[in-house]
Amino acid sequence: MAKKSSVARNEKRKILAVKYMEKRAHIKDLIKSAIANENIEALMDAQKKLQMLPRNGNPNRIRNRCFHCGKPRGVRSKYGLCDCCIARFLERGQLPGVTIASW
């Protein structure tokens, strides 16, 4: 059995996060209203429903990755690329509007 790559797992997490976004938001609203009304039973019920959702459906579990190579670290959000890929594209002049400093 082949091991799934971390990039593929991250893509699956993105799909699940979109799929369960509305349901998660509704349950979160139930939790907030139960806290405001000090209704412990409703709060416990809503928390149980939230725990029943898939763990990878939470958008906090999505990792920022480089679009080009898939590296998880050193990713610049402005470009969506890691430091190595940014340097590689800058050498070739493939990032529009960005120039390498020289003095």
Side-chain angles (χ1 to χ4, degrees), residues 43-57:
L43 176 64
M44 298 293 274
D45 186 43
Q47 286 178 342
K48 190 74 156 177
K49 287 180 184 177
L50 189 63
Q51 288 175 358
M52 296 303 289
L53 293 178
R55 198 177 268 186
N56 283 334

Side-chain angles (χ1 to χ4, degrees), residues 99-103:
T99 57
I100 298 175
S102 62
W103 58 92

Side-chain angles (χ1 to χ4, degrees), residues 25-83:
H26 176 68
I27 295 173
K28 290 280 199 171
D29 289 339
L30 289 176
I31 291 173
K32 287 179 185 176
S33 66
I35 290 172
N37 296 333
E38 298 178 4
N39 189 349
I40 302 298
E41 291 81 21
L43 176 64
M44 298 293 274
D45 186 43
Q47 286 178 342
K48 190 74 156 177
K49 287 180 184 177
L50 189 63
Q51 288 175 358
M52 296 303 289
L53 293 178
R55 198 177 268 186
N56 283 334
N58 190 345
N60 291 342
R61 294 178 65 94
I62 297 172
R63 177 81 183 192
N64 287 338
R65 291 189 169 269
C66 177
F67 289 121
H68 186 66
C69 64
K71 277 179 58 178
R73 299 199 178 199
V75 178
R76 304 292 170 219
S77 59
K78 183 175 182 180
Y79 305 108
L81 297 170
C82 66
D83 296 333

Side-chain angles (χ1 to χ4, degrees), residues 7 14 19-20 22 32 39 41 56 69 80 88:
V7 176
K14 288 179 184 178
K19 181 179 178 181
Y20 288 101
E22 289 180 22
K32 287 179 185 176
N39 189 349
E41 291 81 21
N56 283 334
C69 64
R88 206 173 304 135

